[in-house]
Amino acid sequence: MSPASRLKNDNFLRALRRQTVDHTPIWLMRQAGRYLPEYCATRQRAGDFLTLCKSPDFACEVTLQPLARYDLDAAILFSDILTVPDAMGLGLCFEAGDGPRFERPLREEWAINNLTAPDPYDRLGYVMDAVRTIRKALDGSVPLIGFSGSPYTLACYMVEGGGSKDFCHIKRMLYGRPDLLRRILAVTTQAVIAYLNAQIECGAQAVMIFDTWGGSLAHTAYVEFSLAYMRDIVAGIHRNWAGETIPSILFAKGGGQWLEQIAASGCDGIGLDWTTDIADARRRVGGRVALQGNLDPGVLLSSPEVIAAEARKVLEAFGAGNTGHVFNLGHGISRFTPPEHVTALVESVHQYKARS
Ligand code: CP3
């Protein structure tokens, strides 16, 4: 593997290290997805979403699609956070138009006691093959981001058996049998550490932990049931690999009220959703970590003029000295986004530096 220092564009890694950059780097959560007609065409050829994830060649093809269209500063592995519980034996399926489902949700004490962390090279070997294939195809152009879900977010899907609006099952467990939830979180933490380390060993140059549902926890429960396990992950993953430091980003959806505690977790960057003022976030934690975000994905449904103006608001709110900022959306791109609106966004973020 060529070291990151020989990357043609390392602005993303430099921003996470809070070093000087040529321009504010930008990538988008779900940059490879259904808003792109070429993604839909590849998905159709593959047959379904899971086959796309499980075939390294298809996964590589769709990872590269947004980079062929847009001047993005990072690639993200095409996969899904739910491959880990799938490898733990819960039986993942995606029903058309219906989101993810597990055939065997995790609710019984015996099943929770039997839960073990899978060997990522064995049960998730297709992800490792995808990482190696993508790194080779990127050929040093931009860095590759690996990822996983946070233990609490994965537990939400594992216990609920799919997406949920009220989180009845996991909240019942959290308040009624916290010992069971702690066991799920502890095993999942071990699974995630092994999984992210394997991705790094195969070529991921930064890692991101998606805590999509930590923000649904009560104030005191957040630290105990979500952040504590993410802290263990940050401490357990390779800090250096192949002569390079591997930065980690915690995406804290709805996590604006815990920024100080998140910044103290040892992570290099915090992913912000759009409900947090990035200027305020920078004042609170900017001296300790980089910030990633945080344009409302809904802005991309407007017009190129509005997109340019709203992007500028985020850049200006982050403030002078563009180091320590990775531009992104506050959550994944909507499937109804016109692809040319993304061109307008990437151009306005890159041009901002020219004027500043
Ligand atoms: O960002 C990227 O381009 C990398 C790939 C990626 C996907 N999912 C592909 C995907 C990543 C990083 C994820 C993370 C993920 N997956 C999260 C955390 C981030 C977030 O969005 O909050 C979560 C909660 C999931 C679980 C998941 N996967 C759900 C709830 C769904 C269904 C909702 C939907 O958008 O359809 C998925 C499916 C999924 N994962 C798609 C993609 C491109 C759409 C699948 C399709 O083609 O039909």
Side-chain angles (χ1 to χ4, degrees):
M1 286 297 157
S2 58
S5 53
R6 273 194 265 132
L7 276 165
K8 288 179 200 97
N9 173 358
D10 66 350
N11 286 295
F12 167 75
L13 296 175
R14 294 182 61 81
L16 286 175
R17 295 189 208 115
R18 290 175 292 133
Q19 297 169 336
T20 54
V21 288
D22 304 335
H23 57 256
T24 300
I26 172 171
W27 71 279
L28 306 176
M29 289 187 271
R30 292 270 172 106
Q31 60 192 24
R34 286 166 296 185
Y35 74 104
L36 287 178
E38 58 270 35
Y39 169 85
C40 295
T42 308
R43 182 172 173 268
Q44 199 164 14
R45 267 198 291 133
D48 57 44
F49 172 67
L50 267 186
T51 311
L52 201 56
C53 289
K54 293 189 177 184
S55 147
D57 289 332
F58 279 134
C60 178
E61 183 177 319
V62 294
T63 299
L64 300 181
Q65 285 170 346
L67 295 149
R69 260 188 197 255
Y70 314 114
D71 192 13
L72 296 160
D73 295 285
I76 181 160
L77 161 70
F78 188 84
S79 188
D80 198 85
I81 63 167
L82 301 179
T83 54
V84 169
D86 185 46
M88 290 164 111
L90 275 69
L92 177 63
C93 57
F94 281 84
E95 282 143 24
D98 202 27
R101 287 262 145 248
F102 285 114
E103 283 159 35
R104 292 170 289 282
L106 200 55
R107 295 189 197 143
E108 312 286 340
E109 187 157 359
W110 64 265
I112 295 168
N113 287 334
N114 284 342
L115 197 68
T116 54
D119 174 352
Y121 283 103
D122 175 20
R123 302 299 310 276
L124 293 154
Y126 61 90
V127 178
M128 304 314 142
D129 289 340
V131 172
R132 290 190 200 97
T133 308
I134 297 163
R135 256 309 284 275
K136 210 166 152 207
L138 284 170
D139 193 28
S141 52
V142 289
L144 175 62
I145 307 168
F147 70 88
S148 84
S150 76
Y152 185 74
T153 292
L154 292 176
C156 285
Y157 288 98
M158 292 159 85
V159 174
E160 297 295 331
S164 174
K165 285 200 166 68
D166 51 18
F167 299 105
C168 270
H169 295 285
I170 194 161
K171 290 283 173 89
R172 189 178 293 122
M173 190 183 286
L174 189 154
Y175 291 109
R177 289 294 308 272
D179 58 313
L180 294 185
L181 182 55
R182 283 198 194 96
R183 161 135 180 98
I184 296 173
L185 295 169
V187 176
T188 306
T189 298
Q190 291 316 309
V192 168
I193 291 171
Y195 182 54
L196 290 178
N197 277 338
Q199 290 183 35
I200 294 167
E201 288 156 18
C202 292
Q205 291 151 295
V207 292
M208 176 145 157
I209 302 163
F210 287 90
D211 191 23
T212 306
W213 299 121
S216 67
L217 285 164
H219 190 263
T220 49
Y222 172 76
V223 175
E224 191 182 342
F225 290 94
S226 189
L227 185 59
Y229 296 92
M230 294 196 284
R231 210 186 279 141
D232 290 347
I233 293 169
V234 173
I237 57 179
H238 299 313
R239 184 70 192 139
N240 294 291
W241 192 259
E244 294 296 326
T245 305
I246 309 294
S248 57
I249 306 167
L250 299 190
F251 172 61
K253 181 139 191 297
Q257 58 182 316
W258 298 290
L259 292 182
E260 289 82 356
Q261 289 103 310
I262 299 169
S265 69
C267 68
D268 298 281
I270 302 179
L272 300 173
D273 72 24
W274 65 93
T275 63
T276 298
D277 173 9
I278 197 166
D280 183 46
R282 189 179 187 189
R283 273 192 295 278
R284 287 165 62 194
V285 299
R288 281 189 281 170
V289 291
L291 294 172
Q292 178 175 278
N294 68 341
L295 187 74
D296 180 351
V299 168
L300 286 177
L301 304 173
S302 63
S303 66
E305 296 70 36
V306 174
I307 292 165
E310 293 292 328
R312 195 178 174 91
K313 280 188 202 163
V314 172
L315 289 159
E316 278 172 0
F318 183 84
N322 60 5
T323 184
H325 185 204
V326 174
F327 198 99
N328 205 314
L329 303 176
H331 199 194
I333 192 167
S334 156
R335 61 185 295 190
F336 303 110
T337 301
E340 61 280 10
H341 286 186
V342 176
T343 314
L345 174 64
V346 175
E347 282 176 3
S348 25
V349 172
H350 281 170
Q351 281 162 13
Y352 181 74
K353 137 251 165 183
R355 285 194 300 265
S356 59

